[in-house]
């Protein structure tokens, strides 16, 4: 694969991905979150973003720049590893960069969802409720390698009491991803189509290029979202890989749940976001300035 072909493949996969699973690692402990990826054609890097209220993934990427991204590619997935650079000096300028990246997206449901979200952020109601959300930290990922991840495009998540997932929650999820770190310290993820859980443990079938060790830390992300990202839900489950008589399993230890489906969820999201954003700026001795009206997008 030539460098040009590799870049084109990554760019096309980014354009095809309304969301992707972004993984960071602290020592050998991975963490994964859903993100919307963009491709910066000027710099030939993949860009994901974070609001200051939820800066954890950016802080982790700054501490350890070895990251990965699981993108959509046709009927399968494309796994990208890379080195991250975090840009958080001028969040208002970053907002303009995001506007340009959205504008560079080809016509698609993804671009439509991003434009509609930006349009709402520019309304009076959007500025009142989500002035903090338009501020963006940029995480630029310069690819180092790509691997294919076969997937049939569907996921069934069963009830998983040991991980805190009851039947009602399990029915909502349509994505499951497992992540471990490799010997070089890079997170390595793969999708799970048909989850098998016995005695509270998830049966693992990693791809050939991923070889978890017995006792190695791992995590599982289950999530879903609607077409315009207005409603979503996710759960990150941490634990360890274990070997038993039948192979490899994931043994859960703790989980974190985030949901934005109901009016109460959205109110909590807004209030918590404003509080977290002010704390972000206070901790850094910086002045909190809400994002200005997104003129560029609104003038298309």
């Amino acid at each position: 694969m030539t460098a040009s072909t590799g870049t084109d493949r990554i760019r096309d996969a980014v354009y095809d991905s309304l969301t992707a699973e972004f993984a960071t690692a602290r020592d050998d402990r991975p963490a994964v979150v859903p993100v919307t990826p963009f491709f910066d054609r000027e710099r030939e890097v993949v860009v994901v973003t974070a609001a200051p209220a939820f800066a954890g993934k950016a802080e982790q990427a700054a501490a350890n720049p070895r990251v990965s991204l699981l993108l959509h590619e046709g009927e399968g997935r494309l796994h990208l590893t890379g080195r991250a650079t975090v840009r958080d000096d001028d969040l208002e300028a970053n907002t303009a960069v995001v506007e340009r990246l959205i504008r560079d997206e080809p016509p698609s449901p993804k671009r439509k969802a991003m434009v509609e979200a930006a349009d709402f952020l520019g309304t009076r109601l959007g500025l009142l409720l989500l002035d903090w959300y338009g501020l963006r930290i940029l995480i630029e990922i310069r690819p180092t390698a790509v691997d294919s991840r076969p997937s049939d495009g569907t996921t069934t998540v069963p009830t998983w009491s040991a991980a805190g997932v009851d039947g009602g929650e399990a029915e909502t999820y349509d994505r499951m991803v497992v992540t471990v770190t490799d010997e070089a310290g890079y997170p390595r993820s793969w999708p799970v189509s048909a989850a098998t859980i016995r005695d509270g443990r998830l049966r693992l079938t990693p791809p050939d290029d991923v070889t978890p060790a017995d006792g190695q830390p791992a995590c599982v992300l289950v999530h879903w979202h609607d077409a315009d990202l207005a409603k979503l839900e996710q759960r990150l489950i941490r634990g360890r890989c274990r070997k038993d008589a039948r192979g490899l399993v994931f043994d859960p230890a703790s989980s974190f749940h985030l949901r934005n489906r109901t009016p109460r969820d959205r109110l909590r999201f807004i209030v918590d976001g404003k509080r977290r954003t002010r704390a972000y700026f206070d901790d850094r001795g910086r002045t909190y300035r809400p994002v200005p009206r997104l003129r560029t997008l609104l003038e298309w």
Side-chain angles (χ1 to χ4, degrees):
M1 181 187 299
T2 66
S4 176
T5 302
T7 299
D8 292 347
R9 183 185 183 191
I10 293 167
R11 178 203 63 206
D12 292 344
V14 169
Y15 287 160
D16 286 344
S17 301
L18 175 57
T19 60
E21 290 84 10
F22 174 64
T24 58
R26 176 174 296 174
D27 298 325
D28 60 350
R29 294 172 294 168
V32 189
V33 293
V35 297
T36 294
F38 299 99
F39 188 81
D40 190 331
R41 295 189 300 218
E42 294 181 3
R43 299 172 57 83
E44 293 193 343
V45 294
V46 180
V47 179
V48 300
T49 73
F54 305 101
K57 54 181 174 282
E59 292 168 351
Q60 187 55 53
N64 178 6
R66 291 167 290 192
V67 301
S68 72
L69 199 62
L70 190 59
L71 300 159
H72 294 269
E73 184 180 46
E75 297 300 319
R77 308 295 298 275
L78 181 68
H79 185 264
L80 178 152
T81 55
R83 304 282 297 188
T85 300
V86 176
R87 303 194 180 279
D88 60 356
D89 292 336
D90 190 338
L91 303 190
E92 292 184 21
N94 288 350
T95 299
V97 173
V98 174
E99 292 178 20
R100 173 176 61 81
L101 297 178
I102 295 174
R103 188 168 58 248
D104 287 347
E105 288 271 334
S108 67
K110 175 186 175 183
R111 186 178 189 269
K112 181 175 181 291
M114 295 298 99
V115 170
E116 289 177 351
D119 284 352
F120 177 74
L121 286 176
T123 65
R124 289 184 178 181
L125 182 60
L127 288 171
L128 175 65
L129 300 178
L130 295 167
D131 57 329
W132 54 273
Y133 192 72
L135 294 167
R136 291 282 123 180
I137 301 168
L138 302 185
I139 307 169
E140 296 179 351
I141 305 169
R142 191 161 297 280
T144 57
V146 293
D147 300 284
S148 295
R149 293 283 187 263
S151 171
D152 61 13
T154 61
T155 298
T156 301
V157 179
T159 301
W160 193 0
S161 300
V165 182
D166 62 25
E169 182 184 339
E171 289 178 357
T172 66
Y173 294 128
D174 57 11
R175 293 167 176 81
M176 175 182 275
V177 168
V178 182
T179 304
V180 297
T181 56
D182 64 15
E183 292 182 353
Y186 282 93
R188 304 295 296 265
S189 301
W190 70 92
V192 176
S193 296
T196 299
I197 296 171
R198 293 181 179 172
D199 299 325
R201 293 177 166 184
L202 172 68
R203 182 66 52 186
L204 297 181
T205 307
D208 293 340
D209 61 326
V210 181
T211 55
D214 184 29
Q216 181 175 348
C219 68
V220 175
L221 174 70
V222 286
H223 66 110
W224 75 273
H225 58 77
D226 61 9
D228 58 4
L229 300 180
K231 297 180 180 180
L232 54 86
E233 188 168 7
Q234 65 192 59
R235 185 180 287 272
L236 178 65
I237 306 158
R238 298 177 184 271
R240 291 184 178 273
C241 298
R242 306 289 187 190
K243 291 186 178 179
D244 64 13
R246 300 182 59 204
L248 193 67
V249 296
F250 171 78
D251 191 5
S254 64
S255 69
F256 170 77
H257 182 222
L258 175 66
R259 187 180 75 174
N260 187 8
R261 286 197 298 177
T262 68
R264 177 177 290 183
D265 293 337
R266 286 188 282 277
L267 178 60
R268 184 184 302 114
F269 176 76
I270 291 167
V271 172
D272 196 38
K274 286 179 177 288
R275 177 185 60 80
R276 284 170 167 261
T277 299
R278 294 194 179 279
Y280 173 90
F281 282 91
D282 289 345
D283 289 347
R284 290 158 179 78
R286 296 162 64 178
T287 301
Y288 169 41
R289 289 191 295 270
V291 67
R293 186 177 178 87
L294 300 180
R295 291 182 296 274
T296 305
L297 292 173
L298 293 174
E299 290 172 356
W300 288 356

